[in-house]
Amino acid sequence: MAGLHTHYDTLQISESASDEVIRGAYRYLSQKWHPDKNPDKLEEAKRVMARLNEAYAVLSDPKRRQEHDAWITQQRAAAGGSGGAAGGSAPPDSGSADTLRDYYATEIAKGRNFWIWPLAFIGCLILLGVIFSISPSLSERLKEYRIITLLVLLAGASAVTSSLKDKHRAQLLQQHETRILEQRYTEHMRQKTVRQVVIGVAAVLVIGGLVAYYGMGWNVRQDQLQAAKPGEAKPSPAKPASLTVENACGRDLRLAVHYLPDGAAWRTEGWWNVDANSSTGLRGDLGLIESTNTIFYYYAESLDQKIVWQGRDDDETDATYALKGRTYRFDRVRLARTADGRYQLKLTC
C-alpha cells in the first residue's frame, strides 16, 4: 500500500526503532523545523512541527504506539499485504533521510570524545615531557609561561579529538545505512546513560564525602573519637627545642636566622659570631632561639666575607629578609631533633 503514511515515516525511522532513536529523531527534526529557525517559511515550519509533535506523542507512549502498529497491520491486511510503511512518503519538506542519518553518525562520533579527549591530553603531556628531556633550556621557558603552555595543550588535545571525531563520523556514513546507524545510535545512547549514571553517582559520593568531612566537621569528630578511645593516652604536644650552630669550617663566621617562636610571629635575628670549629647555642631578644617548627632560614658568611652560606635565586623555597638596613637571601632548611632534643645546624666550607 504505497500511499500508507505512518508516524514512523514522519520521524523518518524504522518501525522497530528504539525509544532512544525516537527521541533522537524527534529532537533533530524539531530543532531543524522549529518556526523560530524558519522565519522565511513560517507556515510550512508550523505544519511540519504539528506532524512531528503528533508523531512523537504517539510513538513515545507505549500504549498509543501499540495501537498505531495494530492500525498499520490492519491497513496492510486490507490492502492485501502490498506496500508498507517503509515505502510511505515523508511529510512535505521535512528533510531527507540523509540528514537524519548524518545526525546519528554525528552523535555516535561525539561519544568517542569522552574517551579520546583525556587520552589526547595525556599524549600532549608525554610529548611535552620528551621536549623537556631534549631541551632543558626550553623546559625552563615553558615553566615560566605555564599558563600559556596549558592553554596550548588543551587546544592541541581539542584539535586531535575533533579530527578523530570527524574521521570516525565519515567512516560511519560510508560504511553503514540508516537502519544500521539507528541500531548503533541506540547502543550509544544506552552506554551514554550508563556512563552518566556512574559519573553522577561517583561525583555525588566524592562531593558529599568532602562536604561531610570538612563542611560538617567529621574530621574533627574523628579526632575527638580517636582521643576518647579507652586505654590510649593522648599524645602530649611537642616542646620547643633550641637551635645550636656547629661551625665545621676553619673560618670564623657570623650568622643570622629567621624562625618561628612559639606563640609569636616569624622573626629575623642576628648577628652571632661563631668561632671556627666550634658549636654554640643561639640566644636572641626573646631568650634562647627555640621553636616547635622544624623549618629555619639562615644566612651566614665568613668574617672576611670570602665564603657565604645563602639561598639560591632559582630555589622558590628560599626567601629574602631585611636585617639592619640590608636585604639578604636566606637558605631554607628543615632540621631534625637530636637525641638530646636540640636542632643542630651544621655549616661546612
Side-chain angles (χ1 to χ4, degrees), residues 143-286:
K143 289 178 181 178
E144 182 179 357
Y145 299 100
R146 50 185 173 270
I147 300 298
I148 298 177
T149 302
L150 177 60
L151 293 176
V152 171
L153 283 176
L154 294 174
S158 180
V160 171
T161 302
S162 179
S163 175
L164 292 176
K165 182 198 71 175
D166 293 341
K167 181 179 179 181
H168 181 53
R169 172 181 165 275
Q171 290 176 345
L172 290 170
L173 289 172
Q174 182 180 3
Q175 297 174 2
H176 302 296
E177 299 177 352
T178 304
R179 184 69 61 84
I180 302 299
L181 285 180
E182 275 190 10
Q183 297 173 356
R184 294 198 60 174
Y185 177 78
T186 299
E187 180 183 357
H188 159 70
M189 293 303 294
R190 289 174 180 171
Q191 291 176 350
K192 181 179 179 180
T193 301
V194 172
R195 187 168 65 234
Q196 290 174 338
V197 170
V198 172
I199 294 175
V201 171
V204 168
L205 291 177
V206 171
I207 296 174
L210 291 175
V211 170
Y213 190 74
Y214 292 102
M216 298 176 63
W218 281 17
N219 53 335
V220 177
R221 296 176 191 174
Q222 291 298 321
D223 293 342
Q224 295 172 347
L225 290 174
Q226 186 71 20
K229 285 185 178 180
E232 294 186 5
K234 183 177 180 180
S236 58
K239 295 181 179 180
S242 60
L243 176 63
T244 299
V245 177
E246 179 183 353
N247 181 3
C249 183
R251 298 170 181 265
D252 295 344
L253 59 86
R254 67 174 189 163
L255 173 81
V257 297
H258 181 78
Y259 72 106
L260 180 63
D262 281 359
W266 285 86
R267 292 177 59 84
T268 303
E269 293 195 49
W271 299 89
W272 293 276
N273 291 332
V274 184
D275 296 335
N277 301 315
S278 67
S279 179
T280 182
L282 302 184
R283 181 178 291 273
D285 296 339
L286 301 180

Side-chain angles (χ1 to χ4, degrees), residues 3 6 35 51 54-55 66 106 162 169 177 183 214 228 244 293 295 329:
T6 71
R51 290 193 179 187
E54 180 185 3
Q66 186 177 10
T106 302
S162 179
R169 172 181 165 275
E177 299 177 352
Q183 297 173 356
Y214 292 102
T244 299
N293 191 354
I295 296 176
R329 188 167 187 86

Side-chain angles (χ1 to χ4, degrees), residues 12-146:
Q12 302 174 28
I13 56 178
S14 64
E15 294 180 16
S16 60
S18 65
D19 294 339
E20 290 84 1
V21 169
I22 294 173
R23 283 193 294 269
Y26 173 74
R27 185 184 303 113
Y28 169 76
L29 293 173
S30 60
Q31 289 176 355
K32 176 181 174 63
W33 284 101
H34 196 281
D36 293 344
K37 295 185 178 180
N38 297 274
D40 54 334
K41 42 185 176 181
L42 189 59
E43 293 303 322
E44 181 184 3
K46 289 181 178 179
R47 185 174 69 254
V48 174
M49 278 300 301
R51 290 193 179 187
L52 293 174
N53 290 334
E54 180 185 3
Y56 182 69
V58 172
L59 298 183
S60 61
D61 186 325
K63 183 178 180 181
R64 297 181 67 183
R65 181 178 180 180
Q66 186 177 10
E67 293 174 352
H68 186 62
D69 291 343
W71 173 81
I72 294 173
T73 302
Q74 182 182 6
Q75 293 298 313
R76 287 175 179 167
S82 61
S89 60
D93 299 321
S94 63
S96 67
D98 288 339
T99 58
L100 191 56
R101 179 166 166 264
D102 183 83
Y103 168 77
Y104 293 141
T106 302
E107 291 298 309
I108 296 171
K110 283 182 181 178
R112 276 201 165 191
N113 283 18
F114 183 82
W115 308 107
I116 294 177
W117 201 96
L119 296 178
F121 185 71
I122 292 173
C124 291
L125 287 177
I126 294 175
L127 178 61
L128 193 63
V130 173
I131 295 176
F132 282 178
S133 62
I134 295 177
S135 176
S137 59
L138 180 60
S139 68
E140 293 299 326
R141 182 62 60 86
L142 292 176
K143 289 178 181 178
E144 182 179 357
Y145 299 100
R146 50 185 173 270

